[in-house]
Amino acid sequence: LILAGRGWGKTRTGAHDIAQYALDHPNSLSAVVVPTFGDIRRVAFGGPSGLLSVIPRECLMTGRGQGYNASSAEIRLHNGSKIIGFSAEEPDRLRGPQFHRAWCDELAAWKYPETFDQLMFGLRLGQTPQCVITTTPKPTKIIRSLLKRDDTHISRGSTFENSANLAPSALKALED
């Protein structure tokens, strides 16, 4: 569970984690769950810190229906691994699928917390299925619950820890 301020690097961290896992584990299935459908394309997959910015082009599968498919929200890698995007707006879309790994982005902003429960039911492949959660801190019920769990590893960070990579005007606005 990564709880950190805006601009800290949460999205980049989540993207690197899922990409590295998928590249290191051929034929694996990973889920990326974000607050809205638009966030799949704009943030988690195609954003400046998203998956397509960290996965080397030569690692994408080539050919018809391969590589990145925006309409199905899937990224297919040359080693057979698949990364599938989901919106937290539709919890029932996570009924049935199963995964080796998951990345939940901005969990504190999810409209339907039951989406997390459905994802956890599907996180059941391999020896050690794991979920990385990246979110701006907000004391929602689900975040408070995760903070109390013995199996949650917590990292915290401030926007200002990444100040070297942020615009001075953005930092100034956050200081005020």
Side-chain angles (χ1 to χ4, degrees), residues 10-168:
K10 298 180 299 293
T11 300
R12 171 88 52 192
T13 302
H16 269 286
D17 177 81
I18 286 292
Q20 193 65 57
Y21 183 88
L23 289 167
D24 289 347
H25 298 86
N27 301 305
S28 62
L29 296 170
S30 297
V32 176
V33 187
V34 296
T36 69
F37 285 107
D39 293 327
I40 295 170
R41 196 178 333 206
R42 282 191 313 268
V43 179
F45 281 20
S49 298
L51 282 159
L52 295 174
S53 76
V54 302
I55 296 173
R57 293 279 176 233
E58 62 271 15
C59 293
L60 294 173
M61 183 80 87
T62 57
R64 186 176 174 95
Q66 304 300 322
Y68 171 50
N69 185 324
S71 61
S72 65
E74 290 185 4
I75 297 174
R76 292 176 184 246
L77 302 180
H78 71 288
N79 67 359
S81 292
K82 196 184 318 184
I83 302 168
I84 307 167
F86 294 90
S87 166
E89 293 175 314
E90 289 191 328
D92 287 342
R93 299 298 303 146
L94 286 158
R95 289 181 179 270
Q98 52 188 352
F99 308 100
H100 294 90
R101 195 166 194 88
W103 166 29
C104 298
D105 192 43
E106 289 300 345
L107 178 62
W110 290 12
K111 185 175 180 179
Y112 302 109
E114 62 267 25
T115 304
F116 186 76
D117 297 333
Q118 293 304 322
L119 175 63
M120 291 300 103
F121 292 140
L123 193 58
R124 58 182 180 249
L125 295 178
Q127 296 298 312
T128 55
Q130 294 179 322
C131 180
V132 172
I133 301 165
T134 56
T135 191
T136 306
K138 189 175 177 184
T140 62
K141 182 178 178 183
I142 194 165
I143 298 298
R144 288 192 314 267
S145 162
L146 287 166
L147 289 169
K148 292 177 186 174
R149 290 174 54 159
D150 292 335
D151 62 345
T152 301
H153 300 276
I154 303 162
S155 295
R156 296 177 189 266
S158 163
T159 299
F160 301 100
E161 292 175 276
N162 193 27
S163 62
N165 297 305
L166 301 173

Side-chain angles (χ1 to χ4, degrees), residues 160 171-176:
F160 301 100
L171 292 169
K172 177 77 174 133
L174 290 168
E175 287 174 347
D176 294 338

